[in-house]
Tab-separated table of all heavy atoms in Angstrom:
chain	number	residue	atom	x	y	z
A	163	LEU	N	-7.012	-13.936	13.817
A	163	LEU	CA	-6.562	-12.638	14.355
A	163	LEU	C	-5.957	-11.783	13.243
A	163	LEU	O	-6.185	-10.579	13.179
A	163	LEU	CB	-5.549	-12.840	15.489
A	163	LEU	CG	-6.139	-13.305	16.833
A	163	LEU	CD1	-5.029	-13.548	17.847
A	163	LEU	CD2	-7.134	-12.283	17.377
A	164	THR	N	-5.204	-12.421	12.354
A	164	THR	CA	-4.624	-11.659	11.228
A	164	THR	C	-5.747	-11.065	10.388
A	164	THR	O	-5.711	-9.879	10.028
A	164	THR	CB	-3.732	-12.579	10.356
A	164	THR	OG1	-2.721	-13.141	11.182
A	164	THR	CG2	-3.081	-11.803	9.220
A	165	GLU	N	-6.756	-11.863	10.112
A	165	GLU	CA	-7.859	-11.401	9.260
A	165	GLU	C	-8.587	-10.208	9.884
A	165	GLU	O	-9.073	-9.319	9.193
A	165	GLU	CB	-8.828	-12.564	8.985
A	165	GLU	CG	-9.966	-12.234	8.030
A	165	GLU	CD	-9.543	-11.510	6.754
A	165	GLU	OE1	-8.442	-11.759	6.232
A	165	GLU	OE2	-10.331	-10.646	6.285
A	166	ARG	N	-8.609	-10.167	11.213
A	166	ARG	CA	-9.245	-9.035	11.899
A	166	ARG	C	-8.610	-7.710	11.453
A	166	ARG	O	-9.270	-6.686	11.359
A	166	ARG	CB	-9.066	-9.248	13.406
A	166	ARG	CG	-9.661	-8.195	14.278
A	166	ARG	CD	-9.652	-8.629	15.733
A	166	ARG	NE	-10.328	-7.637	16.550
A	166	ARG	CZ	-9.705	-6.781	17.353
A	166	ARG	NH1	-8.398	-6.820	17.484
A	166	ARG	NH2	-10.392	-5.886	18.035
A	167	PHE	N	-7.292	-7.739	11.178
A	167	PHE	CA	-6.590	-6.494	10.831
A	167	PHE	C	-6.550	-6.254	9.328
A	167	PHE	O	-6.336	-5.135	8.888
A	167	PHE	CB	-5.177	-6.503	11.433
A	167	PHE	CG	-5.234	-6.608	12.930
A	167	PHE	CD1	-5.023	-7.811	13.571
A	167	PHE	CD2	-5.587	-5.505	13.690
A	167	PHE	CE1	-5.139	-7.921	14.947
A	167	PHE	CE2	-5.707	-5.601	15.072
A	167	PHE	CZ	-5.479	-6.818	15.704
A	168	VAL	N	-6.727	-7.331	8.568
A	168	VAL	CA	-6.749	-7.175	7.112
A	168	VAL	C	-8.165	-6.773	6.687
A	168	VAL	O	-8.339	-5.882	5.851
A	168	VAL	CB	-6.297	-8.487	6.424
A	168	VAL	CG1	-6.400	-8.366	4.913
A	168	VAL	CG2	-4.867	-8.836	6.843
A	169	GLY	N	-9.139	-7.422	7.300
A	169	GLY	CA	-10.535	-7.014	7.107
A	169	GLY	C	-10.983	-7.056	5.658
A	169	GLY	O	-11.717	-6.182	5.220
A	170	GLY	N	-10.508	-8.061	4.901
A	170	GLY	CA	-10.960	-8.201	3.520
A	170	GLY	C	-10.332	-7.204	2.562
A	170	GLY	O	-10.671	-7.179	1.384
A	171	ARG	N	-9.415	-6.351	3.055
A	171	ARG	CA	-8.792	-5.371	2.156
A	171	ARG	C	-7.591	-5.991	1.454
A	171	ARG	O	-7.039	-6.983	1.916
A	171	ARG	CB	-8.337	-4.136	2.943
A	171	ARG	CG	-9.511	-3.321	3.474
A	171	ARG	CD	-9.070	-2.227	4.405
A	171	ARG	NE	-8.206	-2.715	5.438
A	171	ARG	CZ	-6.997	-2.247	5.701
A	171	ARG	NH1	-6.487	-1.262	4.985
A	171	ARG	NH2	-6.291	-2.746	6.684
A	172	THR	N	-7.145	-5.361	0.376
A	172	THR	CA	-5.919	-5.803	-0.274
A	172	THR	C	-4.765	-5.082	0.406
A	172	THR	O	-4.706	-3.849	0.405
A	172	THR	CB	-5.943	-5.422	-1.774
A	172	THR	OG1	-7.120	-5.992	-2.327
A	172	THR	CG2	-4.718	-5.944	-2.490
A	173	MET	N	-3.897	-5.858	1.016
A	173	MET	CA	-2.768	-5.247	1.731
A	173	MET	C	-1.471	-5.845	1.228
A	173	MET	O	-1.438	-6.973	0.739
A	173	MET	CB	-2.893	-5.522	3.240
A	173	MET	CG	-3.720	-4.480	3.971
A	173	MET	SD	-4.022	-4.975	5.666
A	173	MET	CE	-2.419	-4.736	6.398
A	174	ASP	N	-0.397	-5.093	1.382
A	174	ASP	CA	0.945	-5.572	1.046
A	174	ASP	C	1.163	-6.920	1.751
A	174	ASP	O	1.088	-7.001	2.985
A	174	ASP	CB	1.933	-4.510	1.558
A	174	ASP	CG	3.377	-4.861	1.247
A	174	ASP	OD1	3.655	-6.041	0.999
A	174	ASP	OD2	4.213	-3.943	1.275
A	175	PRO	N	1.421	-7.998	0.988
A	175	PRO	CA	1.553	-9.323	1.605
A	175	PRO	C	2.668	-9.369	2.656
A	175	PRO	O	2.589	-10.130	3.624
A	175	PRO	CB	1.904	-10.253	0.437
A	175	PRO	CG	1.659	-9.481	-0.802
A	175	PRO	CD	1.567	-8.022	-0.471
A	176	GLU	N	3.668	-8.545	2.473
A	176	GLU	CA	4.769	-8.552	3.437
A	176	GLU	C	4.315	-7.946	4.769
A	176	GLU	O	4.723	-8.394	5.840
A	176	GLU	CB	5.947	-7.770	2.820
A	176	GLU	CG	7.291	-8.047	3.453
A	176	GLU	CD	7.585	-7.040	4.550
A	176	GLU	OE1	7.066	-5.910	4.457
A	176	GLU	OE2	8.310	-7.403	5.489
A	177	VAL	N	3.441	-6.956	4.713
A	177	VAL	CA	2.878	-6.375	5.943
A	177	VAL	C	1.974	-7.410	6.629
A	177	VAL	O	2.027	-7.595	7.848
A	177	VAL	CB	2.104	-5.068	5.630
A	177	VAL	CG1	1.300	-4.599	6.842
A	177	VAL	CG2	3.078	-3.976	5.187
A	178	VAL	N	1.190	-8.120	5.808
A	178	VAL	CA	0.306	-9.147	6.375
A	178	VAL	C	1.158	-10.234	7.054
A	178	VAL	O	0.836	-10.701	8.154
A	178	VAL	CB	-0.608	-9.762	5.286
A	178	VAL	CG1	-1.472	-10.868	5.872
A	178	VAL	CG2	-1.473	-8.681	4.656
A	179	ALA	N	2.273	-10.606	6.411
A	179	ALA	CA	3.148	-11.640	6.993
A	179	ALA	C	3.730	-11.156	8.323
A	179	ALA	O	3.846	-11.931	9.283
A	179	ALA	CB	4.270	-11.979	6.012
A	180	LEU	N	4.067	-9.876	8.397
A	180	LEU	CA	4.610	-9.344	9.659
A	180	LEU	C	3.525	-9.346	10.752
A	180	LEU	O	3.801	-9.701	11.905
A	180	LEU	CB	5.174	-7.932	9.455
A	180	LEU	CG	5.685	-7.256	10.726
A	180	LEU	CD1	6.822	-8.055	11.383
A	180	LEU	CD2	6.158	-5.825	10.444
A	181	ILE	N	2.319	-8.965	10.378
A	181	ILE	CA	1.211	-8.978	11.352
A	181	ILE	C	1.065	-10.392	11.930
A	181	ILE	O	1.013	-10.602	13.143
A	181	ILE	CB	-0.109	-8.522	10.671
A	181	ILE	CG1	-0.042	-7.031	10.334
A	181	ILE	CG2	-1.327	-8.832	11.544
A	181	ILE	CD1	-1.210	-6.519	9.501
Side-chain angles (χ1 to χ4, degrees):
L163 285 177
T164 302
E165 184 47 34
R166 180 170 184 255
F167 300 100
V168 176
R171 291 172 309 125
T172 304
M173 272 172 73
D174 181 340
E176 199 267 332
V177 169
V178 177
L180 176 60
I181 290 172

